[in-house]
Amino acid sequence: MKKINRVAIVGGTHGNEFTGAYLIKKFEKLPNLIQQPSFETLTLLGNPQAFAAGRRYIDKDLNRCFLHTNLQDITLSSYEDIQAKAIYEMLVQKGQSQVDVIIDLHSTTANMGLSLMLGSHHPLLLQLAAYLSSINPWVKICWTQPEKGSNFLRSLCELGFVIEVGPVAQGVLNAEWFQKTEELIYAILEFLERSNQGLILDFNSTLTLYQYLETIDYPRDEQGEIQAMIHPQLQFRDYQPLNPGDPMFLTLDGQAIAYQGKSTVYPIFINEAAYYEKGVAMYLTQKQMMDLAGNL
Amino acid sequence: MKKINRVAIVGGTHGNEFTGAYLIKKFEKLPNLIQQPSFETLTLLGNPQAFAAGRRYIDKDLNRCFLHTNLQDITLSSYEDIQAKAIYEMLVQKGQSQVDVIIDLHSTTANMGLSLMLGSHHPLLLQLAAYLSSINPWVKICWTQPEKGSNFLRSLCELGFVIEVGPVAQGVLNAEWFQKTEELIYAILEFLERSNQGLILDFNSTLTLYQYLETIDYPRDEQGEIQAMIHPQLQFRDYQPLNPGDPMFLTLDGQAIAYQGKSTVYPIFINEAAYYEKGVAMYLTQKQMMDLAGNL
């Protein structure tokens, strides 16, 4: 298995997602907590100005600034564009990633528990996902198609992934999720250490994955104004089956709107605050079982 | 009892508190829902630019801009200062309030249910509070000392009050709280109609009130950085008794900090997102029982 030499833990990529930002503050003061014998662990507060302002971003979403062409474009000079370039300079040199793993810590107002959002199907990530799933019932694993030309921070190295924690309101430090996330980080670092030592940790050979299918926006009028809310029966039911005909939205004047799809799906990021401006009420995923014995 | 001629319902005074803002949108489209035979009901979206931006405010907190001297100060020209002056012009003429009641709709990340925040001890408000408490278990009543020189929007008329709804994350439209708040507004308007007609609605003669005592900030270091979080045992326990010695905060490195007061208090606004920048981790209140029979 790939040898891990350096791991970067990033928090506060969005300034009002306090769980990750304050974990970085803690690890900066107590670096021994995240050191392992066989690799180095770095920490990075992703968006310090947005964190200081208690906002997601100052000018634009930092976690959409990492497209390679944008990083090379000197005309892009917003605060987040400059910050993205600085992070790139720190983590990548001469096109080569200087870290083997990026753990980018986020929070969400959706009921996502501890979700690992994978952008790569690397066997080590799948094994890590299976291990974490087997030891922690809060862990869920999502993936998209392998990233090419991603604009996410995690794309700066092959083994980059996001941890989404929630439900947590923006701008709130929730002790319970802070502690759950902290424990998850220690489990990840321990897994990587064991992997470096060639020790295999026990895990279920069957991994449950939620694969991205499509984006659903809120019903809107011609001016783009939202006309319906997440239906109360769907609110906080991330990762639960949504069947054709199940209520999905409730209009402001009280009419239910049903899910019109042809098959059962598993919504995630239901009612995520930061996605209203992106035209996203939820993502639909497909639930998959993967037999790792045949994939590793 | 005082005759009510005009009622103003205000939402979106804070742009990312969507419950009230979208109720205003609904009432603008369906004004019959809030009309009563004996009085007129107006609606007002408090901070349209902040609502469009999905932020609490653009330049400063609008709900701290209504101090009389500030409204008269032409050198104050931030977006919210100008908006406050426009609202004042709309609701007050020649120093006389043009509305008899202001209902200012807010939401909070704290577990406040449906909280009426009273700034006046007017008998009609106490009677309304008692009526709502008796018909709806989510209703809680808070008050401060009678306001003199308040900077709140509600202070623009004698019978102004705030409704705080939560827990709801900032920037999120939650259908359940939207519906609960809507029902509460109808109950308030019905009460005012009956009062105008001289009809007394049944209510408990004993009213439970939570009176403001003091503000508690997060433990911070010399640079002002937060060193501790709301303790998990206190999170979401607004209106529950906090006894001397009970855990109040948890430091980032895991040490509990106990409440040091001498008597039992009832915290509210626990971990409200918008109050981090104001140096408020919670407010402490005293629970009081008031016999309305002797006060009306």
Side-chain angles (χ1 to χ4, degrees), chain A residues 218-219 226-234 246-258 282, chain B residues 22 26 173-180 182:
Chain A
Y218 295 92
I226 286 173
Q227 299 301 301
M229 320 172 263
I230 298 294
H231 195 282
Q233 289 180 36
L234 184 57
D246 284 351
M248 199 172 196
F249 294 106
L250 185 71
T251 64
L252 295 185
D253 52 355
Q255 306 300 311
I257 299 175
M282 70 195 77
Chain B
Y22 279 99
K26 174 170 184 169
L173 180 55
N174 178 292
E176 192 183 335
W177 286 112
F178 179 92
Q179 292 180 311
K180 283 196 175 93
E182 186 179 1

mmCIF file of all heavy atoms in Angstrom, chain A residues 218-219 226-234 246-258 282, chain B residues 22 26 173-180 182:
data_model
loop_
_atom_site.group_PDB
_atom_site.id
_atom_site.type_symbol
_atom_site.label_atom_id
_atom_site.label_comp_id
_atom_site.label_asym_id
_atom_site.label_seq_id
_atom_site.Cartn_x
_atom_site.Cartn_y
_atom_site.Cartn_z
ATOM 1 N N TYR A 218 -34.731 24.020 -5.217
ATOM 2 C CA TYR A 218 -36.042 24.388 -4.692
ATOM 3 C C TYR A 218 -36.952 24.812 -5.839
ATOM 4 O O TYR A 218 -36.468 25.429 -6.807
ATOM 5 C CB TYR A 218 -35.918 25.557 -3.697
ATOM 6 C CG TYR A 218 -35.150 25.207 -2.467
ATOM 7 C CD1 TYR A 218 -33.778 25.426 -2.395
ATOM 8 C CD2 TYR A 218 -35.781 24.622 -1.362
ATOM 9 C CE1 TYR A 218 -33.046 25.077 -1.261
ATOM 10 C CE2 TYR A 218 -35.068 24.281 -0.228
ATOM 11 C CZ TYR A 218 -33.703 24.503 -0.186
ATOM 12 O OH TYR A 218 -32.987 24.147 0.924
ATOM 13 N N PRO A 219 -38.249 24.541 -5.734
ATOM 14 C CA PRO A 219 -39.188 25.150 -6.683
ATOM 15 C C PRO A 219 -39.105 26.674 -6.552
ATOM 16 O O PRO A 219 -39.148 27.203 -5.443
ATOM 17 C CB PRO A 219 -40.552 24.628 -6.207
ATOM 18 C CG PRO A 219 -40.245 23.373 -5.433
ATOM 19 C CD PRO A 219 -38.919 23.643 -4.781
ATOM 20 N N ILE A 226 -37.760 31.418 -3.991
ATOM 21 C CA ILE A 226 -38.157 30.091 -3.517
ATOM 22 C C ILE A 226 -39.654 30.060 -3.206
ATOM 23 O O ILE A 226 -40.167 30.938 -2.521
ATOM 24 C CB ILE A 226 -37.306 29.724 -2.284
ATOM 25 C CG1 ILE A 226 -35.882 29.381 -2.741
ATOM 26 C CG2 ILE A 226 -37.934 28.575 -1.504
ATOM 27 C CD1 ILE A 226 -34.919 29.161 -1.609
ATOM 28 N N GLN A 227 -40.329 29.054 -3.735
ATOM 29 C CA GLN A 227 -41.772 28.913 -3.540
ATOM 30 C C GLN A 227 -42.137 27.760 -2.615
ATOM 31 O O GLN A 227 -43.300 27.570 -2.275
ATOM 32 C CB GLN A 227 -42.455 28.681 -4.902
ATOM 33 C CG GLN A 227 -42.264 29.825 -5.884
ATOM 34 C CD GLN A 227 -42.809 31.126 -5.325
ATOM 35 O OE1 GLN A 227 -43.975 31.231 -5.008
ATOM 36 N NE2 GLN A 227 -41.933 32.123 -5.149
ATOM 37 N N ALA A 228 -41.158 26.945 -2.254
ATOM 38 C CA ALA A 228 -41.453 25.776 -1.411
ATOM 39 C C ALA A 228 -40.255 25.446 -0.540
ATOM 40 O O ALA A 228 -39.113 25.781 -0.875
ATOM 41 C CB ALA A 228 -41.816 24.576 -2.280
ATOM 42 N N MET A 229 -40.566 24.799 0.581
ATOM 43 C CA MET A 229 -39.550 24.419 1.564
ATOM 44 C C MET A 229 -39.359 22.903 1.513
ATOM 45 O O MET A 229 -40.219 22.177 1.003
ATOM 46 C CB MET A 229 -40.030 24.764 2.968
ATOM 47 C CG MET A 229 -40.756 26.091 3.058
ATOM 48 S SD MET A 229 -41.533 26.393 4.677
ATOM 49 C CE MET A 229 -43.223 25.865 4.323
ATOM 50 N N ILE A 230 -38.271 22.435 2.084
ATOM 51 C CA ILE A 230 -38.125 20.986 2.302
ATOM 52 C C ILE A 230 -39.340 20.515 3.112
ATOM 53 O O ILE A 230 -39.687 21.129 4.128
ATOM 54 C CB ILE A 230 -36.830 20.685 3.074
ATOM 55 C CG1 ILE A 230 -35.593 21.143 2.280
ATOM 56 C CG2 ILE A 230 -36.752 19.205 3.438
ATOM 57 C CD1 ILE A 230 -35.343 20.386 0.996
ATOM 58 N N HIS A 231 -39.969 19.442 2.685
ATOM 59 C CA HIS A 231 -41.134 18.931 3.411
ATOM 60 C C HIS A 231 -40.707 18.460 4.814
ATOM 61 O O HIS A 231 -39.637 17.850 4.953
ATOM 62 C CB HIS A 231 -41.756 17.762 2.632
ATOM 63 C CG HIS A 231 -43.130 17.423 3.097
ATOM 64 N ND1 HIS A 231 -43.366 16.688 4.247
ATOM 65 C CD2 HIS A 231 -44.350 17.744 2.606
ATOM 66 C CE1 HIS A 231 -44.675 16.567 4.415
ATOM 67 N NE2 HIS A 231 -45.299 17.198 3.434
ATOM 68 N N PRO A 232 -41.545 18.744 5.824
ATOM 69 C CA PRO A 232 -41.166 18.326 7.187
ATOM 70 C C PRO A 232 -40.839 16.830 7.293
ATOM 71 O O PRO A 232 -39.988 16.440 8.103
ATOM 72 C CB PRO A 232 -42.406 18.655 8.023
ATOM 73 C CG PRO A 232 -43.133 19.710 7.263
ATOM 74 C CD PRO A 232 -42.812 19.495 5.806
ATOM 75 N N GLN A 233 -41.477 16.011 6.468
ATOM 76 C CA GLN A 233 -41.191 14.567 6.534
ATOM 77 C C GLN A 233 -39.853 14.200 5.908
ATOM 78 O O GLN A 233 -39.397 13.063 6.044
ATOM 79 C CB GLN A 233 -42.314 13.768 5.854
ATOM 80 C CG GLN A 233 -43.610 13.767 6.639
ATOM 81 C CD GLN A 233 -44.706 12.974 5.939
ATOM 82 O OE1 GLN A 233 -44.454 11.962 5.317
ATOM 83 N NE2 GLN A 233 -45.934 13.464 6.046
ATOM 84 N N LEU A 234 -39.254 15.144 5.174
ATOM 85 C CA LEU A 234 -37.940 14.863 4.574
ATOM 86 C C LEU A 234 -36.808 15.543 5.353
ATOM 87 O O LEU A 234 -35.654 15.086 5.316
ATOM 88 C CB LEU A 234 -37.936 15.327 3.109
ATOM 89 C CG LEU A 234 -36.676 15.037 2.289
ATOM 90 C CD1 LEU A 234 -36.348 13.552 2.269
ATOM 91 C CD2 LEU A 234 -36.825 15.558 0.860
ATOM 92 N N ASP A 246 -43.174 9.989 -2.499
ATOM 93 C CA ASP A 246 -42.954 10.525 -1.139
ATOM 94 C C ASP A 246 -42.919 12.059 -1.186
ATOM 95 O O ASP A 246 -42.417 12.636 -2.146
ATOM 96 C CB ASP A 246 -41.615 10.038 -0.569
ATOM 97 C CG ASP A 246 -41.665 8.584 -0.106
ATOM 98 O OD1 ASP A 246 -42.774 8.008 -0.062
ATOM 99 O OD2 ASP A 246 -40.584 8.037 0.195
ATOM 100 N N PRO A 247 -43.411 12.718 -0.120
ATOM 101 C CA PRO A 247 -43.359 14.185 -0.119
ATOM 102 C C PRO A 247 -41.922 14.697 -0.058
ATOM 103 O O PRO A 247 -41.111 14.193 0.703
ATOM 104 C CB PRO A 247 -44.137 14.575 1.141
ATOM 105 C CG PRO A 247 -44.128 13.354 1.994
ATOM 106 C CD PRO A 247 -44.046 12.168 1.081
ATOM 107 N N MET A 248 -41.653 15.694 -0.883
ATOM 108 C CA MET A 248 -40.289 16.226 -1.014
ATOM 109 C C MET A 248 -40.261 17.693 -0.576
ATOM 110 O O MET A 248 -39.401 18.107 0.185
ATOM 111 C CB MET A 248 -39.895 16.107 -2.485
ATOM 112 C CG MET A 248 -38.424 16.183 -2.768
ATOM 113 S SD MET A 248 -38.159 15.789 -4.527
ATOM 114 C CE MET A 248 -36.400 15.456 -4.492
ATOM 115 N N PHE A 249 -41.212 18.488 -1.088
ATOM 116 C CA PHE A 249 -41.294 19.910 -0.749
ATOM 117 C C PHE A 249 -42.691 20.226 -0.217
ATOM 118 O O PHE A 249 -43.635 19.448 -0.399
ATOM 119 C CB PHE A 249 -41.025 20.771 -1.989
ATOM 120 C CG PHE A 249 -39.627 20.671 -2.513
ATOM 121 C CD1 PHE A 249 -39.348 19.958 -3.679
ATOM 122 C CD2 PHE A 249 -38.577 21.278 -1.848
ATOM 123 C CE1 PHE A 249 -38.052 19.859 -4.163
ATOM 124 C CE2 PHE A 249 -37.278 21.183 -2.317
ATOM 125 C CZ PHE A 249 -37.011 20.478 -3.484
ATOM 126 N N LEU A 250 -42.782 21.360 0.436
ATOM 127 C CA LEU A 250 -44.064 21.902 0.883
ATOM 128 C C LEU A 250 -44.079 23.359 0.427
ATOM 129 O O LEU A 250 -43.188 24.137 0.804
ATOM 130 C CB LEU A 250 -44.165 21.818 2.411
ATOM 131 C CG LEU A 250 -45.493 22.242 3.033
ATOM 132 C CD1 LEU A 250 -46.589 21.207 2.732
ATOM 133 C CD2 LEU A 250 -45.338 22.395 4.552
ATOM 134 N N THR A 251 -45.079 23.727 -0.393
ATOM 135 C CA THR A 251 -45.120 25.120 -0.852
ATOM 136 C C THR A 251 -45.434 26.034 0.327
ATOM 137 O O THR A 251 -45.949 25.588 1.363
ATOM 138 C CB THR A 251 -46.187 25.318 -1.953
ATOM 139 O OG1 THR A 251 -47.467 25.066 -1.382
ATOM 140 C CG2 THR A 251 -45.944 24.382 -3.127
ATOM 141 N N LEU A 252 -45.117 27.320 0.168
ATOM 142 C CA LEU A 252 -45.353 28.267 1.263
ATOM 143 C C LEU A 252 -46.827 28.303 1.650
ATOM 144 O O LEU A 252 -47.163 28.577 2.798
ATOM 145 C CB LEU A 252 -44.875 29.671 0.866
ATOM 146 C CG LEU A 252 -43.367 29.840 0.634
ATOM 147 C CD1 LEU A 252 -43.048 31.303 0.360
ATOM 148 C CD2 LEU A 252 -42.540 29.334 1.804
ATOM 149 N N ASP A 253 -47.715 28.009 0.672
ATOM 150 C CA ASP A 253 -49.140 27.971 1.037
ATOM 151 C C ASP A 253 -49.643 26.570 1.347
ATOM 152 O O ASP A 253 -50.848 26.321 1.337
ATOM 153 C CB ASP A 253 -50.018 28.681 -0.008
ATOM 154 C CG ASP A 253 -49.757 28.191 -1.421
ATOM 155 O OD1 ASP A 253 -48.825 27.380 -1.602
ATOM 156 O OD2 ASP A 253 -50.485 28.597 -2.332
ATOM 157 N N GLY A 254 -48.715 25.648 1.637
ATOM 158 C CA GLY A 254 -49.121 24.404 2.281
ATOM 159 C C GLY A 254 -49.396 23.199 1.404
ATOM 160 O O GLY A 254 -49.955 22.203 1.883
ATOM 161 N N GLN A 255 -49.007 23.242 0.123
ATOM 162 C CA GLN A 255 -49.235 22.092 -0.760
ATOM 163 C C GLN A 255 -47.979 21.212 -0.802
ATOM 164 O O GLN A 255 -46.877 21.714 -1.034
ATOM 165 C CB GLN A 255 -49.546 22.561 -2.197
ATOM 166 C CG GLN A 255 -50.695 23.547 -2.304
ATOM 167 C CD GLN A 255 -51.990 22.968 -1.790
ATOM 168 O OE1 GLN A 255 -52.375 21.864 -2.152
ATOM 169 N NE2 GLN A 255 -52.660 23.699 -0.902
ATOM 170 N N ALA A 256 -48.168 19.897 -0.621
ATOM 171 C CA ALA A 256 -47.039 18.970 -0.714
ATOM 172 C C ALA A 256 -46.683 18.719 -2.168
ATOM 173 O O ALA A 256 -47.558 18.647 -3.031
ATOM 174 C CB ALA A 256 -47.381 17.664 -0.025
ATOM 175 N N ILE A 257 -45.386 18.612 -2.444
ATOM 176 C CA ILE A 257 -44.894 18.245 -3.775
ATOM 177 C C ILE A 257 -44.146 16.927 -3.625
ATOM 178 O O ILE A 257 -43.229 16.812 -2.811
ATOM 179 C CB ILE A 257 -43.954 19.328 -4.347
ATOM 180 C CG1 ILE A 257 -44.702 20.660 -4.496
ATOM 181 C CG2 ILE A 257 -43.357 18.882 -5.679
ATOM 182 C CD1 ILE A 257 -43.816 21.815 -4.944
ATOM 183 N N ALA A 258 -44.549 15.940 -4.415
ATOM 184 C CA ALA A 258 -43.975 14.596 -4.268
ATOM 185 C C ALA A 258 -42.732 14.425 -5.128
ATOM 186 O O ALA A 258 -42.551 15.107 -6.147
ATOM 187 C CB ALA A 258 -45.017 13.545 -4.644
ATOM 188 N N MET A 282 -31.010 19.711 -2.296
ATOM 189 C CA MET A 282 -30.447 18.438 -1.828
ATOM 190 C C MET A 282 -29.722 17.793 -3.010
ATOM 191 O O MET A 282 -29.921 18.186 -4.164
ATOM 192 C CB MET A 282 -31.553 17.496 -1.335
ATOM 193 C CG MET A 282 -32.440 16.943 -2.442
ATOM 194 S SD MET A 282 -33.969 16.186 -1.861
ATOM 195 C CE MET A 282 -34.936 17.656 -1.491
ATOM 196 N N TYR B 22 -39.773 34.654 4.973
ATOM 197 C CA TYR B 22 -40.657 33.955 4.033
ATOM 198 C C TYR B 22 -42.119 34.037 4.468
ATOM 199 O O TYR B 22 -43.018 33.953 3.621
ATOM 200 C CB TYR B 22 -40.195 32.512 3.825
ATOM 201 C CG TYR B 22 -39.058 32.428 2.836
ATOM 202 C CD1 TYR B 22 -37.732 32.329 3.258
ATOM 203 C CD2 TYR B 22 -39.302 32.507 1.466
ATOM 204 C CE1 TYR B 22 -36.681 32.281 2.340
ATOM 205 C CE2 TYR B 22 -38.264 32.457 0.545
ATOM 206 C CZ TYR B 22 -36.960 32.346 0.986
ATOM 207 O OH TYR B 22 -35.930 32.312 0.076
ATOM 208 N N LYS B 26 -45.091 35.301 2.089
ATOM 209 C CA LYS B 26 -46.393 34.632 1.961
ATOM 210 C C LYS B 26 -47.542 35.615 2.201
ATOM 211 O O LYS B 26 -48.507 35.654 1.431
ATOM 212 C CB LYS B 26 -46.474 33.471 2.957
ATOM 213 C CG LYS B 26 -47.833 32.811 3.005
ATOM 214 C CD LYS B 26 -47.831 31.529 3.813
ATOM 215 C CE LYS B 26 -49.226 30.871 3.742
ATOM 216 N NZ LYS B 26 -49.230 29.510 4.287
ATOM 217 N N LEU B 173 -34.612 27.621 5.749
ATOM 218 C CA LEU B 173 -36.066 27.720 5.865
ATOM 219 C C LEU B 173 -36.562 26.363 6.335
ATOM 220 O O LEU B 173 -36.484 25.374 5.607
ATOM 221 C CB LEU B 173 -36.672 28.081 4.504
ATOM 222 C CG LEU B 173 -38.184 28.238 4.435
ATOM 223 C CD1 LEU B 173 -38.692 29.248 5.441
ATOM 224 C CD2 LEU B 173 -38.599 28.635 3.023
ATOM 225 N N ASN B 174 -37.020 26.305 7.584
ATOM 226 C CA ASN B 174 -37.468 25.040 8.176
ATOM 227 C C ASN B 174 -38.992 25.037 8.200
ATOM 228 O O ASN B 174 -39.623 25.890 8.837
ATOM 229 C CB ASN B 174 -36.883 24.920 9.589
ATOM 230 C CG ASN B 174 -37.341 23.657 10.281
ATOM 231 O OD1 ASN B 174 -38.512 23.518 10.614
ATOM 232 N ND2 ASN B 174 -36.429 22.728 10.502
ATOM 233 N N ALA B 175 -39.584 24.076 7.499
ATOM 234 C CA ALA B 175 -41.037 24.069 7.301
ATOM 235 C C ALA B 175 -41.796 23.944 8.623
ATOM 236 O O ALA B 175 -42.836 24.586 8.818
ATOM 237 C CB ALA B 175 -41.428 22.937 6.358
ATOM 238 N N GLU B 176 -41.281 23.126 9.520
ATOM 239 C CA GLU B 176 -41.989 22.912 10.780
ATOM 240 C C GLU B 176 -42.080 24.216 11.585
ATOM 241 O O GLU B 176 -43.148 24.582 12.081
ATOM 242 C CB GLU B 176 -41.255 21.829 11.580
ATOM 243 C CG GLU B 176 -42.034 21.304 12.754
ATOM 244 C CD GLU B 176 -41.239 20.281 13.549
ATOM 245 O OE1 GLU B 176 -40.326 19.620 12.982
ATOM 246 O OE2 GLU B 176 -41.518 20.142 14.763
ATOM 247 N N TRP B 177 -40.968 24.924 11.676
ATOM 248 C CA TRP B 177 -40.983 26.187 12.422
ATOM 249 C C TRP B 177 -41.741 27.282 11.677
ATOM 250 O O TRP B 177 -42.364 28.146 12.291
ATOM 251 C CB TRP B 177 -39.556 26.637 12.774
ATOM 252 C CG TRP B 177 -38.975 25.803 13.866
ATOM 253 C CD1 TRP B 177 -37.940 24.921 13.771
ATOM 254 C CD2 TRP B 177 -39.435 25.740 15.226
ATOM 255 N NE1 TRP B 177 -37.728 24.314 14.980
ATOM 256 C CE2 TRP B 177 -38.629 24.797 15.897
ATOM 257 C CE3 TRP B 177 -40.437 26.375 15.945
ATOM 258 C CZ2 TRP B 177 -38.796 24.486 17.250
ATOM 259 C CZ3 TRP B 177 -40.612 26.064 17.285
ATOM 260 C CH2 TRP B 177 -39.797 25.137 17.922
ATOM 261 N N PHE B 178 -41.688 27.233 10.360
ATOM 262 C CA PHE B 178 -42.469 28.156 9.540
ATOM 263 C C PHE B 178 -43.952 27.992 9.881
ATOM 264 O O PHE B 178 -44.666 28.970 10.153
ATOM 265 C CB PHE B 178 -42.211 27.840 8.062
ATOM 266 C CG PHE B 178 -42.957 28.695 7.070
ATOM 267 C CD1 PHE B 178 -42.394 29.853 6.566
ATOM 268 C CD2 PHE B 178 -44.216 28.318 6.609
ATOM 269 C CE1 PHE B 178 -43.062 30.635 5.626
ATOM 270 C CE2 PHE B 178 -44.897 29.094 5.675
ATOM 271 C CZ PHE B 178 -44.318 30.253 5.197
ATOM 272 N N GLN B 179 -44.418 26.757 9.921
ATOM 273 C CA GLN B 179 -45.841 26.505 10.198
ATOM 274 C C GLN B 179 -46.204 26.844 11.639
ATOM 275 O O GLN B 179 -47.259 27.425 11.898
ATOM 276 C CB GLN B 179 -46.175 25.043 9.887
ATOM 277 C CG GLN B 179 -46.108 24.733 8.395
ATOM 278 C CD GLN B 179 -46.440 23.280 8.077
ATOM 279 O OE1 GLN B 179 -45.917 22.359 8.688
ATOM 280 N NE2 GLN B 179 -47.309 23.079 7.096
ATOM 281 N N LYS B 180 -45.336 26.497 12.581
ATOM 282 C CA LYS B 180 -45.608 26.818 13.994
ATOM 283 C C LYS B 180 -45.696 28.338 14.193
ATOM 284 O O LYS B 180 -46.536 28.835 14.951
ATOM 285 C CB LYS B 180 -44.502 26.257 14.900
ATOM 286 C CG LYS B 180 -44.586 24.760 15.160
ATOM 287 C CD LYS B 180 -43.696 24.397 16.352
ATOM 288 C CE LYS B 180 -43.818 22.940 16.740
ATOM 289 N NZ LYS B 180 -42.808 22.096 16.088
ATOM 290 N N GLU B 182 -46.401 30.606 11.872
ATOM 291 C CA GLU B 182 -47.599 31.081 11.177
ATOM 292 C C GLU B 182 -48.837 30.904 12.068
ATOM 293 O O GLU B 182 -49.641 31.840 12.222
ATOM 294 C CB GLU B 182 -47.756 30.304 9.864
ATOM 295 C CG GLU B 182 -48.891 30.809 8.993
ATOM 296 C CD GLU B 182 -49.010 30.027 7.683
ATOM 297 O OE1 GLU B 182 -48.229 29.078 7.455
ATOM 298 O OE2 GLU B 182 -49.905 30.379 6.898
#
